[in-house]
Amino acid sequence: MVGQLTVNERKLAFIILVLITIFGMVMVITGADSLFMIHGLIFFLSGVGGIFLVISGFFLPPPDADTIHHYYDDPTRAGIILAMVWAVFAMFIGDWVAWLLAYPELTFDAAWASFGRLRPVHTTGIIFGFGGNALIATSFHVVQRTCRARMPDNLSPWIVIFGYNLFCLLAVSGYFLGITQSKEYAEPEWYADIWLVIVWSIYFLLYLRVLARRKEPHIYVANWYYMAFILVVAILHIVNNLAIPISLVHVKSYSAFAGVQDAMTQWWYGHNAVAFFLTAGFLGMLYYFLPKRAGRPIYSYRMSIVGFWGITFFYMWVGSHHLHYTALPTWVQTLGMTFSAMLLIPSWIAAGNALLTLNGAWHKVRDDATLRFMMVAAVFYGLSTFEGSFMAIRPVNALSHYTDWTIGHVHAGALGWVALITFGAIYALVPWLWKQKSMYSPKLVEVHFWLALSGTLIYVFAMWNSGIIQGLMWRTYNESGTLAYSFVQSMVEMHPYYIARAIGGLFFLTGAIVGCYNIWMTARSARLLMTKAEFETPDLGIASGQDIRAGE
Amino acid sequence: MNIDHEMLVGFAKSYGLFYLLGLSILVLVYSFWPSNKKPFDHAAKSIIEDEDRPWK
């Protein structure tokens, strides 16, 4: 890895890592609370680890002049592996949390293992650890291929991958320790937030620099979605995390917003995280990998553009549907509700576009589990966006809000759409990147597919049942006008569904572990087959979609 | 200048509405402009071909 950096880039990497190390050291020395010092230690150790890595390769011969004629794929490979590691870790935590809801004694009387700490570990690990790394890795691949341009330098992609994972590590370790600013999906404290702004700006600039080197005047639509993801996530992150720390040496900070403004800012952020992190970026993935794998251009390119602007401009306004029946002015609630309903149009444009692209390639969907991952992802995208628009309608929300229906809806999106499209993209990418004809075992891809699909269905059906029963029990009155059921009674009714949900999650986790093994073995056989020199040449003989025969 | 609730609501309900309507028209015109069809089709097809290396 260091061998591929030019001598100047090695020096620059060294300087950056020294600065990170010093920064960590200052945090440890000046830290006024032990939590702050622990996070300083994480900065320090990451810096030191990086320095050792750079020194170990510092005197290697500089990279071949020929490398600039190849795409730079090593950061993509690293991102895919990191995404899979985060997937297994965060799905394990998620399934633990699921069992914990059925059997509360599974906290083992440890503070770090309480529901309130494990739950953000699960959500952050999946959304940012798994999803974020997958988005960064695939975006590096897609932007280089669609622009026919190499990365402008070799260091920036590594800074993005390293810095981003350092942020995820700070976030997750912080929750275990009890560090949180109590904003859902934005729990990390101020110093971690600032760190992410720096890393994310480098990512944004890197993306623009690749686009600036492109061959075609027109930018392929997948890049628009990736760009929207990068740019809007930056805006959301900065605004929602505006806060004043109680001092520069404490973890604690106070938000710039209060009361209903705080709630509205948080859900403007929260729902746009769904829109631009979990939708726009993954649609970018879909618009590249699905046509590529199916060997057919996207059904309607025009519709992909109309859908893009629809999604970017409608999503911005829907956050207030999280605050129905609250102190938020009713007209703002209605605005969010209306835009949520309108959002169904661009969402179904994307889902329909994906499925119509497969018309004429259904035999490939039948035979190729990788393409089937993407197809089922598009179906779940269509289903969960319909469900989302429906649940945003105020009277429906009266039944669904605060119940497990919401959890079911989120997981229809997260498991069925986000995770399945990611696995599809990864199974398409791994053989290309490691120069193999196919995955190590196409049968295991098939196994993963069925585990993931059955896990998702078990999960979603359990939560639909559970949520609607919950909602109905909470609103049933008896003849004297008081509530017919106590809260505890509704919890007793949930118990079987919680067990079913945890089993569904276990299926999904098992599938991800199978996937890790398969990816590992594919990478390993690539190393065994190729001589070292050939392996380091990034892009000889990339298998195109058509080269992969049915059944492989 | 005091920015109050009524003013924001008024702004959102007037300029906000027309800005979104205008934007929608612009997007539709751009997407369906006849001479844009060729580059769009080209873009859609070009990713299917093998991209073995950067162009420069």
Side-chain angles (χ1 to χ4, degrees):
Chain A
M1 161 186 158
V2 182
Q4 297 155 353
L5 304 182
T6 64
V7 177
N8 278 338
E9 285 169 342
R10 288 174 204 176
K11 286 178 189 158
L12 188 59
F14 184 78
I15 294 168
I16 293 170
L17 288 163
V18 167
L19 289 177
I20 292 172
T21 310
I22 294 171
F23 180 70
M25 208 153 34
V26 171
M27 276 179 81
V28 174
I29 294 167
T30 61
D33 60 48
S34 60
L35 299 176
F36 195 75
M37 290 157 79
I38 295 173
H39 268 180
L41 197 63
I42 291 180
F43 268 108
F44 176 78
L45 292 176
S46 323
V48 170
I51 288 174
F52 271 107
L53 194 70
V54 171
I55 289 178
S56 72
F58 200 86
F59 296 105
L60 288 173
D64 237 324
D66 186 48
T67 53
I68 58 158
H69 300 302
H70 297 285
Y71 296 119
Y72 193 37
D73 288 333
D74 274 17
T76 312
R77 294 191 185 101
I80 288 175
I81 292 166
L82 284 163
M84 290 307 290
V85 171
W86 277 107
V88 171
F89 166 74
M91 284 174 197
F92 168 76
I93 301 284
D95 204 43
W96 180 1
V97 173
W99 288 109
L100 185 59
L101 284 169
Y103 301 100
E105 59 276 15
L106 289 175
T107 50
F108 309 111
D109 276 337
W112 63 267
S114 57
F115 179 83
R117 295 197 189 180
L118 288 183
R119 194 256 180 186
V121 171
H122 164 62
T123 52
T124 299
I126 283 296
I127 300 171
F128 298 109
F130 169 56
N133 273 301
L135 285 170
I136 292 173
T138 55
S139 74
F140 285 170
H141 179 88
V142 171
V143 74
Q144 289 187 93
R145 294 325 190 269
T146 52
C147 294
R148 308 244 156 132
R150 189 185 200 273
M151 289 283 177
D153 71 296
N154 301 328
L155 185 58
S156 304
W158 289 114
I159 297 177
V160 173
I161 298 245
F162 169 86
Y164 183 73
N165 281 281
L166 177 54
F167 166 78
C168 293
L169 191 65
L170 288 169
V172 164
S173 62
Y175 311 151
F176 281 128
L177 294 165
I179 303 171
T180 173
Q181 61 176 4
S182 316
K183 277 177 170 274
E184 204 172 2
Y185 315 120
E187 291 92 345
E189 274 290 358
W190 60 277
Y191 50 92
D193 291 337
I194 293 173
W195 172 249
L196 184 63
V197 172
I198 298 169
V199 173
W200 210 256
S201 312
I202 295 171
Y203 183 26
F204 181 61
L205 287 177
L206 177 64
Y207 212 89
L208 286 181
R209 284 158 71 207
V210 181
L211 287 177
R213 294 156 64 94
R214 73 185 184 277
K215 186 181 184 188
E216 307 278 345
H218 180 79
I219 300 173
Y220 184 68
V221 70
N223 290 310
W224 300 26
Y225 284 93
Y226 277 119
M227 277 301 286
F229 147 67
I230 302 170
L231 179 65
V232 179
V233 166
I235 298 169
L236 299 169
H237 174 76
I238 291 170
V239 174
N240 190 41
N241 286 303
L242 288 175
I244 302 184
I246 58 169
S247 85
L248 288 178
V249 289
H250 283 86
V251 288
K252 178 89 189 119
S253 67
Y254 285 94
S255 173
F257 308 100
V260 76
Q261 283 88 354
D262 184 34
M264 186 62 251
T265 311
Q266 159 61 25
W267 283 111
W268 168 77
Y269 165 87
H271 203 84
N272 280 308
V274 176
F276 290 91
F277 210 100
L278 297 175
T279 304
F282 291 93
L283 282 174
M285 224 183 246
L286 179 88
Y287 276 123
Y288 180 79
F289 289 99
L290 184 122
K292 187 88 180 144
R293 185 74 183 187
R296 301 168 62 82
I298 193 75
Y299 172 74
S300 167
Y301 194 83
R302 282 173 163 163
M303 278 301 145
S304 72
I305 296 173
V306 175
F308 171 80
W309 291 106
I311 280 172
T312 37
F313 279 83
F314 288 177
Y315 254 122
M316 272 294 158
W317 303 95
V318 305
S320 57
H321 73 221
H322 288 259
L323 297 165
H324 281 328
Y325 304 103
T326 63
L328 192 75
T330 313
W331 74 269
V332 187
Q333 297 178 26
T334 310
L335 182 80
M337 179 175 100
T338 316
F339 270 86
S340 304
M342 282 152 60
L343 199 51
L344 190 59
I345 299 165
S347 302
W348 274 24
I349 285 177
N353 214 350
L355 293 175
L356 287 169
T357 303
L358 295 171
N359 254 351
W362 290 105
H363 61 286
K364 288 187 186 170
V365 178
R366 182 192 62 206
D367 295 333
D368 178 9
T370 304
L371 190 57
R372 213 178 315 126
F373 263 113
M374 302 183 203
M375 186 280 280
V376 176
V379 171
F380 269 102
Y381 178 65
L383 288 176
S384 54
T385 48
F386 173 76
E387 191 186 22
S389 297
F390 183 60
M391 288 166 81
I393 299 169
R394 208 182 287 119
V396 182
N397 204 259
L399 177 67
S400 76
H401 205 178
Y402 308 116
T403 73
D404 289 329
W405 189 358
T406 304
I407 323 295
H409 166 62
V410 169
H411 283 82
L415 303 174
W417 154 237
V418 169
L420 292 195
I421 187 68
T422 305
F423 290 136
I426 288 180
Y427 282 132
L429 250 184
V430 164
W432 299 340
L433 290 180
W434 271 276
K435 321 285 177 291
Q436 301 293 297
K437 274 255 171 271
S438 69
M439 289 296 294
Y440 163 75
S441 164
K443 279 218 174 64
L444 286 181
V445 180
E446 197 74 47
V447 170
H448 183 183
F449 172 79
W450 288 109
L451 278 171
L453 179 59
S454 52
T456 306
L457 290 175
I458 295 170
Y459 192 114
V460 170
F461 275 97
M463 289 297 96
W464 276 341
N465 277 301
S466 158
I468 291 171
I469 292 172
Q470 241 178 348
L472 290 175
M473 286 179 86
W474 291 348
R475 59 153 62 167
T476 306
Y477 294 89
N478 58 25
E479 283 160 8
S480 56
T482 56
L483 287 172
Y485 303 100
S486 71
F487 186 74
V488 173
Q489 279 174 308
S490 74
M491 289 198 41
V492 173
E493 291 299 316
M494 297 307 100
H495 189 71
Y497 298 111
Y498 284 176
I499 294 173
R501 179 253 298 267
I503 292 171
L506 195 60
F507 276 42
F508 206 86
L509 167 65
T510 313
I513 295 170
V514 170
C516 282
Y517 172 75
N518 206 354
I519 292 165
W520 178 255
M521 293 306 284
T522 311
R524 198 165 156 260
S525 44
R527 274 166 200 275
L528 290 177
L529 278 174
M530 304 246 171
T531 64
K532 201 164 177 304
E534 272 173 327
F535 181 70
E536 280 179 352
T537 317
D539 40 35
L540 291 173
I542 288 174
S544 73
Q546 295 97 316
D547 282 343
I548 287 138
R549 286 193 304 277
E552 279 189 328
Chain B
M1 191 179 70
N2 192 24
I3 301 172
D4 63 0
H5 177 78
E6 291 303 320
M7 193 185 133
L8 278 175
V9 175
F11 186 79
K13 286 181 178 173
S14 55
Y15 290 98
L17 176 69
F18 289 112
Y19 138 79
L20 273 169
L21 285 175
L23 189 95
S24 310
I25 293 166
L26 280 180
V27 168
L28 287 172
V29 167
Y30 169 73
S31 306
F32 288 93
W33 200 260
S35 67
N36 279 345
K37 188 164 170 53
K38 232 179 93 182
F40 289 169
D41 285 346
H42 174 72
K45 283 201 190 77
S46 67
I47 63 152
I48 308 295
E49 299 153 17
D50 249 355
E51 324 97 341
D52 50 347
R53 54 186 56 211
W55 70 288
K56 64 171 180 187

